[in-house]
Amino acid sequence: MSDVDQDELISILNKKWGVRPCPMCGEGQWIVSNKVFELREFNEGNLIVGGGPITPVITITCGNCGNTIMVNPMAIGLIKK
């Protein structure tokens, strides 16, 4: 699963965040991705086959300065474990 329901995601974020400005520039124009990305444990550039913790994240980017926030979709109930 790499796509999420963007309308549902925005609804969840509005309930949890409300209207918040970017902490870097103070603007409030956010770009919400509908893709789920993976954060992997750092292994000094070595390839680890079949292992290591992976954290799913969705990126939310300030349209003004590019500051990017990552939200765990499992933690907010968007996807199930």
Side-chain angles (χ1 to χ4, degrees):
M1 172 184 188
S2 61
D3 289 352
V4 295
D5 182 333
Q6 196 170 31
D7 290 335
E8 182 181 3
L9 172 58
I10 290 171
S11 176
I12 291 170
L13 292 174
N14 283 335
K15 287 177 189 170
K16 292 186 177 287
W17 284 8
V19 178
R20 302 259 174 129
C22 172
M24 298 298 284
C25 71
E27 293 293 322
Q29 52 185 17
W30 294 104
I31 301 164
V32 179
S33 174
N34 67 338
K35 300 285 185 193
V36 178
F37 299 93
E38 296 178 346
L39 285 180
R40 298 177 181 268
E41 180 181 17
F42 178 68
N43 288 294
E44 298 179 14
N46 297 313
L47 177 63
I48 304 298
V49 178
I54 297 173
T55 302
V57 295
I58 297 171
T59 58
I60 303 167
T61 305
C62 175
N64 182 55
C65 74
N67 179 37
T68 301
I69 297 169
M70 293 181 280
V71 174
N72 184 322
M74 291 191 313
I76 63 172
L78 187 63
I79 61 173
K80 306 299 179 227
K81 294 182 182 185

